[in-house]
Amino acid sequence: QRSASGIVKVVQTGGSSAMGPKNESLDWIEHLEELRKRLFVILLAVALASTFAAFFTDTFLKFLIHPIRPLQEKLYFLTPYEAFLVKVGVVIFAGILMASPVIFAQLWRFVAPGLYEKEKKVLAAACATTLGFFLAGVAFGFFIALPFALKFLLGFQSPELAPLISLKEYFSFLNVLLLGFGAAFCFPVFILLLVRLGILRAEVLIRQRKIAVVLIFIIAAVLTPPDVLSQLLLAFPLLGLYELTVVLARRLESKLAEKNILKEFTSSF
């Protein structure tokens, strides 16, 4: 019998396990020790990458505040420690980004021994696809949605109303927007996984399209900052992704049906 992290347990015939409670507790201790090693390597990689990124903090800051520069020449910090905390956050984020290959490798080495070859392929494909959609959502949010949203929101200034945007509030707005777009762009992978498992069918997606449209606008309102333009900029791409998901779900169902027919045909001989 296979355990959670790939260690094989030997089971005796006759109904009694060859491994008693003591051995099972040792098995869990081995799992925790393996997890501790993987986490240590991950933390070390993030620490080293963050230390390296600290030398380029100003470069990262300039890149992240570039979308607002045409509209607001300077950002302000309203407390003595605000600029320091923002720079530390940027450094840690850059460190995690730079160390991401190590992070994924360590997580894979912990999980992979407990999977069959077929499961490894499915999980690897799902993780790669999810990561690709997430990065696509972040890129869309940063390069397209963010400039439009900032231009729309700052367009309400007047001779009586002048924007005074703090560094902390800008990065809070940026985080909500980018994480919202990244998470929302991952929903096709989740839907296709449900189709792959037989829980959901493409026919249901087509029949419940009106409900899906309403849910998409609700999700867009929850995941984006509280302005109409940001919500619309997320909702419309999600509607396009929904239609793409319907097409992909149909193709996936066709392939699964062909495999089942082929399996029944070969098993009949």
Side-chain angles (χ1 to χ4, degrees):
Q1 183 181 350
R2 212 173 37 145
S3 68
S5 64
I7 298 175
V8 179
K9 295 180 182 180
V10 181
V11 181
Q12 288 182 337
T13 56
S16 61
S17 174
M19 291 189 176
K22 184 176 180 181
N23 288 326
E24 290 183 1
S25 64
L26 289 175
D27 189 31
W28 277 108
I29 291 174
E30 290 176 357
H31 296 167
L32 293 175
E33 180 65 21
E34 179 68 15
L35 179 61
R36 186 188 69 83
K37 291 179 180 178
R38 300 302 177 191
L39 290 177
F40 175 77
V41 174
I42 289 173
L43 292 175
L44 181 62
V46 171
L48 293 175
S50 298
T51 302
F52 177 77
F55 294 100
F56 305 95
T57 308
D58 292 336
T59 303
F60 292 132
L61 276 175
K62 287 179 181 179
F63 175 75
L64 293 174
I65 67 176
H66 176 74
I68 200 175
R69 288 297 295 273
L71 306 169
Q72 182 79 15
E73 185 178 352
K74 293 181 180 180
L75 295 179
Y76 302 89
F77 56 95
L78 306 180
T79 60
Y81 51 82
E82 183 176 324
F84 170 75
L85 292 180
V86 169
K87 285 192 173 186
V88 170
V90 170
V91 166
I92 294 175
F93 172 77
I96 294 174
L97 193 64
M98 294 169 63
S100 57
V102 177
I103 295 173
F104 287 121
Q106 293 301 315
L107 293 176
W108 179 256
R109 289 181 180 180
F110 179 74
V111 175
L115 303 173
Y116 294 112
E117 286 300 322
K118 185 177 181 180
E119 294 172 339
K120 289 180 181 179
K121 293 179 180 179
V122 172
L123 182 61
C127 290
T129 306
T130 302
L131 179 61
F133 274 95
F134 180 82
L135 293 178
V138 170
F140 182 89
F142 185 80
F143 292 106
I144 298 178
L146 181 60
F148 275 101
L150 290 173
K151 187 175 181 179
F152 172 77
L153 295 173
L154 295 180
F156 288 97
Q157 60 182 304
S158 65
E160 293 78 20
L161 300 174
L164 183 64
I165 302 174
S166 71
L167 197 62
K168 179 182 177 181
E169 292 303 322
Y170 171 75
F171 275 95
S172 176
F173 177 83
L174 182 67
N175 288 336
V176 172
L177 188 76
L178 298 187
L179 290 178
F181 272 82
F185 270 55
C186 291
F187 97 94
V189 182
F190 176 71
I191 297 297
L192 291 176
L193 180 61
L194 294 180
V195 174
R196 176 67 178 80
L197 296 174
I199 301 174
L200 191 62
R201 294 183 60 84
E203 181 184 353
V204 176
L205 296 175
I206 298 172
R207 191 170 62 247
Q208 303 297 336
R209 182 181 276 110
K210 293 182 180 179
I211 297 177
V213 170
V214 175
L215 290 176
I216 284 173
F217 276 94
I218 293 174
I219 292 171
V222 172
L223 294 180
T224 56
D227 66 274
V228 178
L229 184 61
S230 297
Q231 295 168 11
L232 293 177
L233 287 172
L234 177 58
F236 287 126
L238 287 182
L239 292 174
L241 286 175
Y242 184 83
E243 297 301 327
L244 176 63
T245 303
V246 171
V247 175
L248 295 177
R250 281 178 168 177
R251 291 184 178 181
L252 180 59
E253 285 181 345
S254 299
K255 289 184 178 180
L256 292 175
E258 290 176 1
K259 286 184 179 180
N260 290 334
I261 293 174
L262 182 62
K263 187 181 294 184
E264 292 177 1
F265 178 75
T266 53
S267 61
S268 62
F269 290 95

